[in-house]
């Protein structure tokens, strides 16, 4: 008999991820705050559960994909949370990007009940979720990791066991530092180019093959040039992740001056109404500083 | 009969570039401050000239590859400079990375004598120069560009005509903004990872395929992890280029807070004795801020 699983969170990430597991033949019970978001999956054979506790009842693995630390804490430890029904030996896989410190605390509380928590945040966005090409960074017990790996392969392409509990979250935060500061490089470079009347598309072509190149330049640069601010990855969510970075940097006493600068300038982007725009809207802030609009 | 050319500057970049042109069959007269550096090329058939003016005499194209703005100004306009002997119709190709404003001024002075200046800074480093895979960013008259393009193809792979005089230099400065701020992203990310006891090599592997990826991460990240500070591209030269960026940003009133930050932290790297290390030694500064050494 196939492993019984629960999937909690039917957002733009969770819904397609749960869909891949269902399509691979795993019986899935689902729960999410807004039941309507689970309708498509229920139609395909998933079972609705009225609470995380109900979803978790009798399953071997529980997947979570929600937004922030308090959301996961409520699902795991709150009233009607999975800690009420999850049995000994169950593995909880948290795909949300949340605090590494809070992750370790929850892992300890679940371990006291014989339940293993793996932190498994993802990158690759809604397109990666749809195409099952996500990168998944996993922290926690290696034996549990080996058990869930075949299921993770249904939703992701690059799957890394990073180390003990919290290291998946920490690795995701490294990803967010890289992404946001590299984004800043692209914004300053293209603003300088624009202010000096260079042809921006030609500039990206001229530099894209060399030491200046990055995913951010090649993928978000053309969107900046075209004035296409649709997300991709929303600034409001990037800011949530950078707050997690700053918190973890404080705790570990790591000085991150460039990351802090980007976090502040993304606040300016939010003030300009770009919270729900893609992260490339940071370009609008830099252009405004240069009085280009 | 083949186009007669002069090549001035036999540094780690100029010597192999001149070598490719000589190997392609162009008669080359060479000049450089330290004659010994031209010895290998002279052995292969290049002609020695005692001054830029002597090198420039009777040739159709003059290539320059030296370090900074005053060096180029001395070669072009100084005593014994090429302006003394270059005849009407000559094209001067300056491969040095120098001030865009000074470039436009020199272009005007040469134009008064019927000589065309093209700014043509390169990226790709000494390896790109040896393998003839440089990126070359060219500013100035398009007709002159078309004439020198076959020769540029002997030394580079990606050759872009960026626009009028100075736009090659401006595009190179865009390259330096991108490279240095992306480098900073890698340094902060790996310092955060190190301080939080992640496996650094594994972290680079986990993130290198996604939105956090960059040339800097994939090429300099492993050097940082290995403690290999050999240049690549020296911090002293990066600082020279960032001074050109700041100057051009001042002139065009472009605010570049992240680039300025990196420039300041590279000054800290110089203070720590890393001026002649590769740019990846910025990692040492960030680790020091985190008290990791």
């Amino acid at each position: 008999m196939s492993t019984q699983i629960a999937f909690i969170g039917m957002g733009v990430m969770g819904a397609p991820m749960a869909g891949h597991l269902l399509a691979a033949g795993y019986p899935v019970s689902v729960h999410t705050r807004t039941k309507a978001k689970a309708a498509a999956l229920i139609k395909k054979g998933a079972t609705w559960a009225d609470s995380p506790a109900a979803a978790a009842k009798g399953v071997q693995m529980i997947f979570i994909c929600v937004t922030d630390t308090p959301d996961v804490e409520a699902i795991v430890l709150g009233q009607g949370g999975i800690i009420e029904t999850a049995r000994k030996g169950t593995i909880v896989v948290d795909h949300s990007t949340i605090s590494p410190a809070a992750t370790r605390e929850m892992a300890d509380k679940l371990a006291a009940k014989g339940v293993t928590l793996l932190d498994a945040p993802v990158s690759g966005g809604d397109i990666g979720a749809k195409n099952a090409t996500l990168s998944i960074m996993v922290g926690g017990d290696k034996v549990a990791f080996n058990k869930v790996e075949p299921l993770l392969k249904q939703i992701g392409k690059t799957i890394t066991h990073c180390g003990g509990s919290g290291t998946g979250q920490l690795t995701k935060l490294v990803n967010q530092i890289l992404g946001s500061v590299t984004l800043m490089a692209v914004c300053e470079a293209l603003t300088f180019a624009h202010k000096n009347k260079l042809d921006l598309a030609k500039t990206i072509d001229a530099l894209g093959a060399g030491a200046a190149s990055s995913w951010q330049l090649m993928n978000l640069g053309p969107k900046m040039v075209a004035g296409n601010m649709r997300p991709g990855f929303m600034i409001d969510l990037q800011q949530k992740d950078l707050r997690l970075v700053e918190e973890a940097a404080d705790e570990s006493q790591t000085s991150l001056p460039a990351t802090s600068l980007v976090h502040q300038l993304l606040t300016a982007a939010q003030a300009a109404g770009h919270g729900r725009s893609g992260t490339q809207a940071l370009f609008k802030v830099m252009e405004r500083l240069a009085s280009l609009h």
Side-chain angles (χ1 to χ4, degrees), chain A:
Chain A
M1 201 193 93
S2 211
T3 308
Q4 303 261 335
I5 68 173
F7 207 111
I8 296 161
M10 293 285 117
V12 290
M13 300 299 290
M17 291 161 76
H20 295 311
L21 292 169
L22 188 66
Y26 295 99
V28 183
S29 68
V30 299
H31 176 77
T32 194
R33 268 188 307 213
T34 312
K35 189 177 174 181
K37 290 191 177 175
L41 221 65
I42 291 167
K43 214 170 162 180
K44 288 181 189 158
T47 314
W48 174 255
D50 275 325
S51 67
K57 204 166 181 178
V59 305
Q60 288 92 56
M61 295 179 191
I62 303 161
F63 295 81
I64 302 171
C65 191
V66 294
T67 302
D68 209 349
T69 310
D71 307 317
V72 177
E73 287 174 333
I75 287 163
V76 172
L77 306 173
Q79 196 159 16
I82 61 182
I83 201 165
E84 293 180 359
T85 53
R87 58 191 180 188
K88 195 168 146 74
T90 303
I91 302 171
V92 179
V93 182
D94 178 22
H95 289 302
S96 323
T97 298
I98 67 165
S99 156
T103 293
R104 285 187 295 262
E105 279 173 34
M106 277 189 284
D108 287 346
K109 283 177 184 160
L110 287 170
K113 297 236 169 186
V115 175
T116 304
L117 175 66
L118 298 176
D119 45 306
V122 300
S123 75
D126 52 343
I127 293 168
K130 267 180 203 121
N131 299 339
T133 55
L134 294 167
S135 291
I136 311 179
M137 296 140 267
V138 188
D141 181 64
K142 186 66 164 52
V143 174
F145 170 79
N146 291 342
K147 286 183 186 159
V148 302
E149 198 180 12
L151 287 81
L152 297 181
K153 282 183 174 164
Q154 300 297 328
I155 58 177
K157 210 170 67 173
T158 308
I159 296 150
T160 309
H161 183 252
C162 302
S165 182
T167 59
Q169 296 296 351
L170 286 164
T171 304
K172 175 68 187 282
L173 297 185
V174 173
N175 187 74
Q176 300 310 72
I177 295 168
L178 283 166
S180 60
V181 180
T182 305
L183 169 72
M184 185 71 183
V186 178
C187 290
E188 289 201 358
L190 292 185
T191 301
F192 177 88
H194 186 180
K195 191 80 178 175
N196 283 284
K197 301 188 178 61
L198 294 177
D199 179 320
L200 299 189
K202 197 188 272 184
T203 301
I204 293 172
D205 283 350
L207 306 181
S213 196
S214 62
W215 186 98
Q216 300 281 326
L217 177 66
M218 302 316 281
N219 288 275
L220 300 187
K223 289 187 183 180
M224 293 174 198
V225 176
N228 172 3
M229 295 299 139
R230 282 194 302 276
F233 187 58
M234 276 197 291
I235 284 178
D236 283 345
L237 288 174
Q238 178 72 284
Q239 290 291 72
K240 182 216 87 178
D241 289 357
L242 290 179
R243 278 190 290 276
L244 296 172
V245 168
E246 302 245 317
E247 196 182 297
D250 274 355
E251 284 163 10
S252 60
Q253 297 192 321
T254 314
S255 176
L256 301 177
T259 306
S260 292
L261 175 62
V262 180
H263 187 38
Q264 292 300 319
L265 290 167
L266 285 170
T267 299
Q270 291 174 306
H274 281 298
R276 297 180 68 79
S277 297
T279 51
Q280 69 272 22
L282 176 60
F283 184 50
K284 295 284 187 191
V285 173
M286 299 317 296
E287 287 205 313
R288 183 174 284 192
L289 285 178
S291 289
L292 281 160
H293 58 82

